[in-house]
């Protein structure tokens, strides 16, 4: 079979920009939003797909795609915009790449304070019991105090 394909705009390839944004990152996975726009005009690109690792997602009418990565990746996520095949697209676009840093998953300040208080409340009675036992025996058993 053969088909006649006309390329509009004299086959001009427009430059694109890929922007990756980490929406959510936790121990179960990472949610990444990819936005592809034309570099010169800023208009959204609606054809093609975005590849991150072994996952791929097509662009929607707003030029965005959302990918859910199952495992938490290392510090960086690399993505690539793959334009639609030239014979299927009305407009030709160039490929684009971007890298985003995954924010570290540090515990919140409130969790650290709770950990400190719980640890203190667990070990304070033990420390007082050991010191009290040493005080009652006048340091003879544990040797924490000098006995005269």
């Amino acid at each position: 079979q053969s088909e006649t394909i006309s390329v509009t705009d004299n086959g001009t390839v427009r430059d694109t920009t890929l922007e990756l944004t980490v929406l959510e990152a936790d121990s179960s996975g990472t949610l990444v939003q990819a936005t592809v726009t034309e570099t010169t005009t800023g208009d959204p690109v609606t054809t093609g797909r975005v590849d991150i690792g072994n996952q791929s997602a097509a662009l929607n009418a707003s030029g965005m795609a959302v990918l859910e990565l199952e495992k938490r990746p290392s510090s960086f996520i690399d993505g690539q915009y793959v334009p639609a095949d030239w014979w299927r697209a009305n407009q030709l676009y160039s490929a684009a790449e971007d890298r985003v840093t995954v924010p570290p998953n540090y515990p919140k300040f409130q969790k650290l304070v709770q950990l400190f208080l719980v640890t203190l409340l667990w070990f304070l009675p033990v420390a007082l019991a050991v010191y009290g036992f040493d005080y009652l025996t006048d340091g003879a058993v544990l040797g924490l105090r000098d006995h005269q």
Side-chain angles (χ1 to χ4, degrees), residues 32-132:
V32 179
Q33 176 181 316
T35 306
V36 182
T37 56
E38 288 187 29
T39 304
T40 55
T41 63
D43 293 336
V45 175
T46 59
T47 60
R49 70 180 195 276
V50 175
D51 293 341
I52 297 177
N54 61 356
Q55 294 189 14
S56 179
L59 295 172
N60 63 14
S62 301
M64 291 192 282
V66 177
L67 292 101
E68 186 172 345
L69 308 176
E70 296 197 11
K71 292 190 288 184
R72 182 174 172 84
S74 62
S75 300
F76 300 106
I77 296 175
D78 293 319
Q80 180 179 14
Y81 165 65
V82 180
D85 297 325
W86 64 270
W87 60 87
R88 292 186 178 155
N90 293 333
Q91 177 59 51
L92 302 177
Y93 294 106
S94 65
E97 294 180 349
D98 190 25
R99 172 180 269 189
V100 66
T101 304
V102 178
N105 194 10
Y106 295 126
K108 305 249 188 258
F109 180 72
Q110 181 181 1
K111 292 281 187 186
L112 292 174
V113 169
Q114 286 176 347
L115 177 66
F116 174 75
L117 289 176
V118 167
T119 304
L120 182 69
L121 291 175
W122 272 96
F123 287 106
L124 187 63
V126 172
L128 289 174
V130 168
Y131 180 75

Side-chain angles (χ1 to χ4, degrees), residues 7-20:
V7 178
T8 60
D9 200 16
N10 295 329
T12 303
V13 178
R14 296 185 183 175
D15 286 330
T16 58
T17 302
L18 171 64
E19 181 181 343
L20 299 176

Side-chain angles (χ1 to χ4, degrees), residues 131-146:
Y131 180 75
F133 182 73
D134 188 60
Y135 182 79
L136 289 175
T137 61
D138 206 22
V141 177
L142 296 176
L144 297 177
R145 295 177 33 165
D146 292 334

